[in-house]
Amino acid sequence: MKTNALSSLRWVLFVSRRFSRVDRKGRSAVTSFLASLGICFGVMTLITVISVMNGFQLSFIDAIMEISSYHIRVEQVEPETFESFCAADNDIIAATPFYEAQSLLVGENEKQTAALIRAVSENQLALDEGFRKQLRMIRGSFNLKEENAIVIGSGLANRLGIYVGTTVNLFALSGGNDVDLISSDRIFKVTGIFHTGYADINASYAFISLKSAETYFGDGAVLHYGVKLRDTADDSRVISRMQGTFPEIKAESWKSYNRSFFGALRVEKNMLMLLVFLIFIVVGINIFNGMRRMVYERREEISVLSAFGGKNPLIQSIFVMQGFLVGALGAIPGLALGLLLSVQMPEVFTLMSKLVYYVQYVGYMLVGSENALYLRENPMYMIYGNIPPRIIPGEVLVITIFGIFSSLLASWVASRGVLKMTVAEVLRDE
């Protein structure tokens, strides 16, 4: 049985190769080449776009989960008991306490803006590796050991017009009855300015020490714990264990805390993939039309093969094999080009910015315009180039397989006419 199957495969490959040699310079060869080229560009474009989109979205997601929402947010626990529980749980890599409050910050120049004040441990960077990786200090240091020290986001610093060494006042502060809503005495010294991959955190977050929070947030401030897991998919299981040990605990997973935002990102990515997948549909239609014409042109050869004992499914497999080769010859180079572009994205955008600059410069010079003297390279290209692409192997594999499958399916549908042809009909027509 295996020998017959192998012999049939060899026969299909042999005949398919002979058909390809005959059509090497004909109209069918041009159609096959253009179809492979379309699949190549489709795979390359989709891999590149999805890699950039992943880098763009995951930079947001990583910053939110590591700095803002944590993997699990917990409250209403006894600190020492809960910390002991987390230290003994192998699925938990960090559990750090924090307070939160809303505030209206006022700088030395009287500029003001709203901000979220988060009080964390003085050793937060040492306790939480994910926090340390995502929070990049661009000025000063993450120093909360000084009295009334504050570390603020880069966007917040730009709004207030402040820098390291200046002071800022927590003019209005949310809290209970024991907290003054408005006060000019909550003066903090800026010891550092940070930057993350998410602009909203840069524009609204500021960090102070737990000791400062206990002084200014009042007795009604709620102590939270931010829990980090080895695997974020284990959130439900870890929460279940927490609730079994601490019945009064309030725990919220990152999935529910960020449901609307992450859902919007997922819809955006799915719509983008759907639009780019239309390339494969157009190419598949072209392959279908070309393969159907090839079947009609090869009706004499098909009748001869059938007369010598070739079964219709095997004859159909010849054209399906050619469709597979068209898809593979397009998808594999597209895969290589897509990965290359994704890895070299900064260089690609730098090259594009220079090309656009020189094209505009030459254009202005040809028409004798003085605007050529004021041309500058578009800074947006460099912004896009600084987005780190994220290549997810599973998505790349699906895109490549879909590129091949679209050609394979189109060839199979187009070659079904082989099953309807008989030797007598073909010879009578001739």
Side-chain angles (χ1 to χ4, degrees):
M1 188 70 180
K2 292 183 179 179
T3 303
N4 292 334
L6 185 60
S7 299
S8 298
L9 179 60
R10 287 177 178 174
W11 182 80
V12 169
L13 290 174
F14 172 76
V15 178
S16 179
R17 186 166 60 250
R18 295 290 296 179
F19 279 3
S20 299
R21 288 179 181 177
V22 174
D23 290 334
R24 187 171 295 174
K25 296 182 180 179
R27 184 171 56 181
S28 298
V30 175
T31 302
S32 299
F33 173 75
L34 292 178
S36 295
L37 192 63
I39 292 176
C40 176
F41 280 113
V43 172
M44 178 191 70
T45 302
L46 192 53
I47 289 176
T48 305
V49 170
I50 292 301
S51 297
V52 174
M53 175 64 73
N54 286 336
F56 188 67
Q57 291 187 352
L58 291 178
S59 63
F60 290 171
I61 294 172
D62 290 345
I64 291 172
M65 291 180 61
E66 298 296 341
I67 297 177
S68 175
S69 72
Y70 298 95
H71 300 164
I72 300 174
R73 293 167 64 100
V74 175
E75 59 181 272
Q76 293 185 359
V77 291
E78 199 283 319
E80 293 184 2
T81 306
F82 182 73
E83 289 178 7
S84 299
F85 169 85
C86 293
D89 195 313
N90 292 329
D91 292 329
I92 298 176
I93 58 177
T96 55
F98 68 93
Y99 293 99
E100 278 185 343
Q102 299 288 337
S103 177
L104 179 67
L105 299 185
V106 180
E108 293 180 349
N109 53 9
E110 302 301 323
K111 290 183 178 181
Q112 53 187 321
T113 186
L116 186 144
I117 309 299
R118 176 169 291 183
V120 297
S121 171
E122 296 177 356
N123 301 320
Q124 182 71 15
L125 297 184
L127 297 174
D128 191 342
E129 182 180 0
F131 186 94
R132 182 176 69 251
K133 289 181 177 179
Q134 292 299 320
L135 191 127
R136 180 167 58 91
M137 300 303 301
I138 58 175
R139 297 286 187 279
S141 61
F142 196 85
N143 179 16
L144 300 179
K145 295 181 180 181
E146 299 181 15
E147 184 178 1
N148 286 5
I150 188 170
V151 177
I152 67 174
S154 56
L156 201 58
N158 291 334
R159 285 188 191 179
L160 295 173
I162 58 178
Y163 47 88
V164 174
T166 58
T167 59
V168 62
N169 178 30
L170 276 60
F171 183 68
L173 188 65
S174 63
N177 295 330
D178 56 339
V179 178
D180 293 332
L181 176 61
I182 297 176
S183 174
S184 300
D185 298 329
R186 295 186 285 252
I187 305 298
F188 284 75
K189 180 181 178 181
V190 178
T191 58
I193 298 174
F194 68 85
H195 185 81
T196 70
Y198 188 40
D200 281 0
I201 294 179
N202 302 330
S204 60
Y205 270 63
F207 295 96
I208 62 175
S209 66
L210 293 172
K211 183 178 179 181
S212 297
E214 293 168 357
T215 301
Y216 295 105
F217 286 9
D219 296 334
V222 178
L223 179 66
H224 298 77
Y225 272 87
V227 179
K228 298 292 182 66
L229 307 177
R230 298 186 187 279
D231 185 355
T232 56
D234 291 337
D235 54 330
S236 299
R237 188 158 52 89
V238 174
I239 289 176
S240 178
R241 288 204 300 268
M242 289 179 177
Q243 292 173 341
T245 306
F246 307 98
E248 302 298 325
I249 196 174
K250 289 182 63 177
E252 185 174 13
S253 166
W254 63 272
K255 294 178 181 177
S256 60
Y257 189 81
N258 303 296
R259 182 184 294 109
S260 59
F261 181 75
F262 288 174
L265 292 181
R266 189 179 301 109
V267 170
E268 180 183 13
K269 181 177 179 179
N270 291 340
M271 289 302 299
L272 179 63
M273 291 187 69
L274 178 62
L275 291 175
V276 182
F277 270 134
L278 292 176
I279 297 175
F280 297 129
I281 296 177
V282 174
V283 173
I285 294 174
N286 291 334
I287 295 174
F288 170 78
N289 292 327
M291 195 62 64
R292 190 169 60 174
R293 183 175 64 249
M294 182 185 297
V295 171
Y296 179 77
E297 292 174 349
R298 294 291 179 189
R299 62 189 184 278
E300 295 180 21
E301 289 89 339
I302 292 172
S303 65
V304 172
L305 292 173
S306 180
F308 278 99
K311 297 181 180 179
N312 283 347
L314 284 179
I315 298 174
Q316 184 185 16
S317 300
I318 297 170
F319 299 97
V320 174
M321 179 62 68
Q322 288 190 315
F324 170 78
L325 293 176
V326 168
L329 291 175
I332 294 175
L335 170 65
L337 289 174
L339 294 176
L340 179 63
L341 287 177
S342 299
V343 172
Q344 300 296 328
M345 192 57 61
E347 289 76 8
V348 171
F349 278 108
T350 300
L351 178 62
M352 289 177 60
S353 67
K354 293 184 181 297
L355 287 176
V356 172
Y357 167 77
Y358 284 121
V359 169
Q360 290 179 337
Y361 180 81
V362 172
Y364 281 126
M365 292 299 293
L366 289 176
V367 299
S369 174
E370 295 181 355
N371 291 331
L373 300 175
Y374 305 102
L375 282 177
R376 296 291 184 275
E377 293 183 7
N378 191 340
M380 290 304 297
Y381 286 104
M382 301 310 300
I383 294 176
Y384 296 143
N386 288 329
I387 298 175
R390 301 283 187 93
I391 299 173
I392 299 178
E395 293 182 351
V396 172
L397 181 61
V398 169
I399 292 169
T400 306
I401 292 177
F402 190 85
I404 298 175
F405 178 76
S406 62
S407 175
L408 197 62
L409 178 63
S411 301
W412 178 79
V413 174
S415 61
R416 285 192 303 173
V418 172
L419 303 176
K420 302 176 183 178
M421 299 174 64
T422 64
V423 178
E425 289 178 351
V426 172
L427 294 179
R428 183 173 60 250
D429 292 341
E430 293 300 320

